[in-house]
Amino acid sequence: MRLLKVATCNLNQWAMDFDCNLKNIKDSIIRAKEAGAVIRLGPELEITGYGCEDHFLELDTVTHAWECLKDILLGDWTDGILCSFGMPIIKGSERYNCQILCMNRKIIMIRPKMWLANDGNYRELRWFTAWKQKDQLVDFQLPHDISDALSQKTVPFGYGFIQFVDTAVAAEVCEELFVPVPPHAELALNGVEVFMNASGSHHQLRKLDLRMQAFIAATHTRGGVYMYSNHQGCDGGRLYYDGCCCVVVNGDVVAQGSQFSLKDVEVLAAQVDLDAVASLRGSIGSFQQQASCKSIVSSVSVPYRLCKSFNLQEPISCPLKIKYHVPEEEIAFGPACWLWDYLRRSGASGFLLPLSGGADSSSVAAIVGCMSQLVVEEIANGDEQVKADAIRIGQYADGQFPADHKEFANRIFYTVYMGTENSSEATRSRAKVLADEIGSWHLDVCIDSVVSALLMLFQTLTGKRPRYKVDGGSNAENLGLQNIQARIRMVLAFMLASLMPWVHNKLGFYLVLGSSNVDEGLRGYLTKYDCSSADINPIGSVSKTDIREFLKWAASHLGYPSLSDIEAAPPTAELEPIRSDYNQLDEVDMGMTYEELSIYGRLRKIFRCGPVSMFKNLCFKWGSRLTAFEIAGKVKHFFKYYSINRHKMTVLTPSYHAESYSPEDNRFDLRQFLYNSRWPYQFHKIDELAREMDSIGAAPMNSGDQNMLGGSSNLLGGMGVAAAGSGNPNVGF
């Protein structure tokens, strides 16, 4: 037997914080060595942090990365262990995203990334060049200070692998696993048995299984040991990197790390039998045939043995069941960990949330409560870093630390209910009960006097006083009166966030949390610069349907039972007067249901549908219940208000990225914000198609298997269709 002990890790790196990153890297090497590993794999660009973005264009960033690498190599960190470090490197005039393979205080090989991630949230081609010279390794001249320190002038650079005496090892960097022809396929035919994938992969709801299946597929039919390392945490932006480092052998997961954790360093070790890899490959005839006529990949020979022989004292890692979190858990733990990183690194002393008693703000409150629970749990488990951060943020006296999550929440979390004459006693009560369950310091204030003062000022200036629509006012008056309330709440929230610590003799300031969801952003159903305009928003990329499911889950699993009542209440902004014959409801105001919005969002972004394509696909799905003209009306209604309100995305509060149809303008969904909202050409085409279908009496099929919305994803399954409402669809403009 050829027994090999490997270690991979999740690291909570912080973009451009080289001290923090170097400390975590060294800590992970220590733990890997303590576990007896001879290979240690870290995340992609771990020395700089993955999310440096345009800082990668600065020479300082590359220089500091080399300085950190030199620090590692001058010590005993790499003695007896192969380490893979991620950092940017400039070769000639090009900048590359590289894995630096080091051992025994020397650089063995530099592997530049060949296929760059350049869609969705990723813009690697903005900062890096893809390495395309696959035929040979070239000599790379090390920077003179590195060369002098290591007594090493050049190092092999390019696509290749390391041939040890007893096995072959190669790097495959993040995106390269997911390309149509991944490098590991060719490398396996060249005898590579161990693949090291350094990654910077972010969390997205329901995404982990796709990643895990890719690891399994990589080794299931061609054999091999696949090591995966990832960042974990918020490294300075909207993304949460969700860890889940793992080791896969011949299609079986033998080690899996956490997906959501407050730990800065998590190291996962596994003992594998490389003879099992050789045995599988030798048993597959097609593998043997393709290996016999393979393209030769360059290699670097290292006269060193990595493997140990048969030893009962160190058992082989066995296959295990993959752990997946349900979406409700992902909504709880992902944003909670992201909020903790943001809080501890921002210098803030806590959070302030405008808590309306509705589903969205209540879900944000529950996530902060979940964060408090995780912090106290990690402290109880002995995590000294979490303990030190919590003591500093909570401003505990000497010798004290958080031991109860409600007490900790009371120190770092303010909630405030800002009611008006239009607010109901039900939402006021629900906000108070939830605040008590979580432990937040809760405030209840009526802002009618401030609203009246502004209206008096307006009346003094113009001689007119606006009225609500239910009292005979126009749409413009109605909208203006609603927006006054919403924007006053934003101003008051920021005032309280800056001054409440002073009131309670605390240092620092509080971060204001937003609570608009992804569907409201897509539709533009929010007031520009209202209380949804905050410092950060943990649910800005979560759909309303997922939020409601989360509330039901959190009511029992997080211990906040009042969330059940909040989830059951109909969504309402409570910005118009309550009358016996009228009650403002979100879906009526919008003229579409939240379920419909989710469908429109997925079609628009994930399936890249314009108005005409969306109409055609919805005809297949909704044709048995709605006429072509009714479907046409719905599609045109959505695109009209999507385009009218697109400008709001340019000032949207930075939000945790969780959903693949997010309309977030800054990174993910790059589109103009000035549209012809009449969409004359597209809407004319839709009308023509609808008339044609009506004239021939076509009955669109209602089969998900006949269009791109069908199949196992079932994106449109089970939704209810509501008629467009007659309320004010412009609310929040």
Side-chain angles (χ1 to χ4, degrees):
M1 301 181 75
R2 290 178 296 144
L3 300 182
L4 182 70
K5 195 69 169 287
V6 300
T8 184
C9 57
N10 296 327
L11 297 186
N12 193 327
Q13 307 296 78
W14 189 4
M16 300 301 291
D17 188 338
F18 293 92
D19 287 335
C20 164
N21 298 344
L22 189 58
K23 175 182 177 295
N24 290 345
I25 290 169
K26 289 180 176 179
D27 192 2
S28 70
I29 296 173
I30 291 172
R31 299 189 194 188
K33 286 186 173 183
E34 289 174 347
V38 292
I39 297 179
R40 175 267 179 199
L41 172 66
E44 182 179 12
L45 295 167
E46 61 182 315
I47 292 179
T48 59
Y50 183 85
C52 296
E53 299 191 327
D54 278 3
H55 283 294
F56 284 126
L57 303 178
E58 301 167 3
L59 291 179
D60 278 3
T61 304
V62 180
T63 300
H64 297 334
W66 277 116
E67 291 165 349
C68 291
L69 182 64
K70 182 174 71 171
D71 183 290
I72 294 171
L73 292 174
L74 289 179
D76 62 357
W77 306 99
T78 61
D79 289 357
I81 186 169
L82 174 67
C83 292
S84 177
F85 304 113
M87 60 177 273
I89 283 182
I90 293 177
K91 182 182 183 298
S93 301
E94 307 94 47
R95 185 184 298 99
Y96 294 99
N97 175 352
C98 297
Q99 287 302 118
I100 319 298
L101 305 176
C102 306
M103 190 174 190
N104 294 332
R105 311 190 189 197
K106 298 291 182 183
I107 302 175
I108 298 175
M109 175 183 171
I110 298 177
R111 165 67 155 83
K113 192 171 182 180
M114 299 188 298
W115 308 108
L116 301 178
N118 207 59
D119 51 16
N121 288 292
Y122 298 98
R123 299 287 181 275
E124 289 185 7
L125 278 171
R126 181 181 175 96
W127 311 300
F128 301 110
T129 299
W131 181 258
K132 298 301 184 183
Q133 302 177 40
K134 293 185 60 179
D135 55 338
Q136 63 178 345
L137 292 169
V138 300
D139 286 335
F140 174 76
Q141 178 68 50
L142 292 172
H144 66 87
D145 55 331
I146 304 296
S147 177
D148 292 343
L150 303 182
S151 299
Q152 182 180 2
K153 292 185 177 180
T154 63
V155 60
F157 186 102
Y159 170 58
F161 62 92
I162 303 175
Q163 181 65 64
F164 288 93
V165 173
D166 47 3
T167 189
V169 181
E172 183 170 71
V173 190
C174 196
E175 178 74 9
E176 294 175 350
L177 169 65
F178 302 98
V179 298
V181 183
H184 67 254
E186 184 177 49
L187 290 166
L189 297 176
N190 276 266
V192 174
E193 295 178 310
V194 181
F195 305 95
M196 301 184 297
N197 188 309
S199 187
S201 184
H202 70 282
H203 171 243
Q204 193 167 284
L205 293 178
R206 306 171 181 88
K207 172 187 170 186
L208 179 61
D209 61 329
L210 301 177
R211 192 192 301 163
M212 297 301 293
Q213 291 304 317
F215 305 146
I216 292 170
T219 59
H220 179 70
T221 58
R222 58 181 64 92
V225 176
Y226 206 93
M227 302 170 60
Y228 174 78
S229 177
N230 195 16
H231 293 270
Q232 186 173 57
C234 167
D235 77 342
R238 293 160 172 78
L239 302 183
Y240 175 79
Y241 300 96
D242 60 337
C244 206
C245 61
C246 63
V247 179
V248 181
V249 180
N250 292 350
D252 291 320
V253 177
V254 299
Q256 180 186 359
S258 65
Q259 188 177 11
F260 307 109
S261 172
L262 301 185
K263 294 182 175 66
D264 280 345
V265 178
E266 180 180 0
V267 175
L268 193 67
Q271 174 117 305
V272 300
D273 177 16
L274 293 184
D275 280 353
V277 175
S279 176
L280 176 62
R281 290 178 175 178
S283 69
I284 303 173
S286 58
F287 184 93
Q288 296 284 303
Q289 295 176 55
Q290 290 193 341
S292 68
C293 58
K294 61 184 177 292
S295 298
I296 301 300
V297 177
S298 301
S299 64
V300 177
S301 181
V302 177
Y304 191 91
R305 294 183 183 274
L306 292 179
C307 300
K308 296 180 180 179
S309 57
F310 177 72
N311 183 354
L312 280 177
Q313 301 304 313
E314 297 188 48
I316 295 174
S317 299
C318 297
L320 50 81
K321 183 178 180 181
I322 301 173
K323 176 176 176 54
Y324 293 113
H325 291 279
V326 298
E328 293 80 12
E329 291 176 313
E330 294 184 273
I331 294 171
F333 300 140
C337 293
W338 183 76
L339 284 178
W340 176 245
D341 276 347
Y342 202 100
L343 177 61
R344 70 189 181 112
R345 289 171 171 170
S346 66
S349 301
F351 298 116
L352 183 139
L353 171 69
L355 182 60
S356 70
D360 295 328
S361 62
S362 296
S363 67
V364 173
I367 289 169
V368 177
C370 178
M371 183 202 78
S372 299
Q373 294 182 26
L374 291 175
V375 168
V376 172
E377 181 181 337
E378 282 300 317
I379 293 174
N381 291 336
D383 193 309
E384 291 300 321
Q385 183 61 60
V386 174
K387 183 177 180 180
D389 288 331
I391 290 173
R392 172 178 55 83
I393 294 168
Q395 301 179 31
Y396 285 86
D398 291 343
Q400 294 183 318
F401 59 87
D404 177 81
H405 64 86
K406 292 184 69 172
E407 185 274 336
F408 182 61
N410 190 257
R411 284 176 175 262
I412 59 98
F413 189 31
Y414 283 106
T415 52
V416 54
Y417 181 87
M418 293 180 274
T420 69
E421 60 183 359
N422 301 323
S423 303
S424 67
E425 186 56 39
T427 55
R428 182 189 304 273
S429 174
R430 288 197 292 264
K432 177 64 168 64
V433 172
L434 178 60
D436 290 342
E437 291 172 350
I438 293 171
S440 67
W441 188 288
H442 188 64
L443 302 169
D444 191 322
V445 60
C446 178
I447 63 173
D448 282 335
S449 60
V450 186
V451 174
S452 296
L454 284 172
L455 290 177
M456 285 295 296
L457 175 62
F458 180 83
Q459 188 171 2
T460 300
L461 289 171
T462 66
K464 292 187 175 183
R465 190 177 183 92
R467 294 178 297 168
Y468 288 102
K469 193 172 184 178
V470 294
D471 295 327
S474 65
N475 282 334
E477 294 171 75
N478 195 65
L479 183 60
L481 287 170
Q482 293 183 67
N483 289 347
I484 288 173
Q485 300 166 69
R487 290 187 172 119
I488 286 173
R489 286 168 175 158
M490 183 270 289
V491 174
L492 180 58
F494 276 97
M495 184 179 73
L496 291 171
S498 61
L499 292 179
M500 285 307 294
W502 167 73
V503 170
H504 290 131
N505 296 314
K506 293 181 179 181
L507 300 174
F509 62 96
Y510 278 59
L511 293 165
V512 179
L513 297 180
S515 59
S516 59
N517 61 63
V518 69
D519 297 325
E520 290 171 347
L522 179 67
R523 166 61 172 72
Y525 187 69
L526 62 137
T527 303
K528 203 172 186 179
Y529 309 118
D530 73 345
C531 60
S532 64
S533 298
D535 291 309
I536 50 175
N537 181 358
I539 66 162
S541 186
V542 182
S543 73
K544 189 77 166 189
T545 52
D546 280 335
I547 285 172
R548 301 193 74 154
E549 291 302 313
F550 163 71
L551 291 174
K552 289 186 283 189
W553 176 88
S556 57
H557 290 82
L558 295 181
Y560 307 139
S562 67
L563 293 175
S564 294
D565 294 334
I566 292 170
E567 187 280 327
T572 174
E574 289 195 335
L575 293 171
E576 296 184 63
I578 299 173
R579 297 285 191 267
S580 59
D581 59 343
Y582 176 76
N583 190 14
Q584 184 183 24
L585 297 174
D586 288 355
E587 292 180 326
V588 174
D589 271 355
M590 292 190 298
M592 60 193 73
T593 69
Y594 280 109
E595 287 180 297
E596 288 175 329
L597 259 176
S598 183
I599 292 167
Y600 299 147
R602 287 182 165 85
L603 284 168
R604 182 196 69 95
K605 179 65 177 177
I606 301 174
F607 295 108
R608 299 164 295 280
C609 285
V612 177
S613 294
M614 184 181 292
F615 167 73
K616 290 178 180 178
N617 280 278
L618 289 177
C619 281
F620 282 109
K621 194 65 184 177
W622 294 347
S624 64
R625 291 172 289 176
L626 299 172
T627 68
F629 284 107
E630 288 174 325
I631 297 171
K634 285 180 173 293
V635 171
K636 291 191 289 184
H637 184 72
F638 165 71
F639 272 100
K640 174 183 176 180
Y641 288 103
Y642 157 76
S643 55
I644 283 175
N645 292 308
R646 176 68 187 174
H647 65 95
K648 296 179 183 179
M649 296 303 96
T650 64
V651 296
L652 198 68
T653 296
S655 302
Y656 178 99
H657 178 86
E659 183 57 78
S660 55
Y661 70 89
S662 169
E664 193 271 317
D665 180 78
N666 191 262
R667 294 289 189 279
F668 187 68
D669 191 40
L670 306 182
R671 304 174 193 237
Q672 74 268 35
F673 56 87
L674 177 60
Y675 281 89
N676 184 342
S677 61
R678 295 183 299 276
W679 297 80
Y681 185 88
Q682 294 90 335
F683 286 3
H684 177 69
K685 295 286 289 186
I686 290 175
D687 290 339
E688 282 185 343
L689 287 169
R691 283 193 294 269
E692 181 181 336
M693 293 168 62
D694 184 62
S695 65
I696 63 175
M701 66 181 75
N702 186 32
S703 171
D705 296 330
Q706 301 299 318
N707 63 84
M708 69 179 180
L709 301 179
S712 60
S713 61
N714 195 26
L715 290 177
L716 300 188
M719 59 78 61
V721 181
S726 57
N728 179 8
N730 283 315
V731 65
F733 201 169

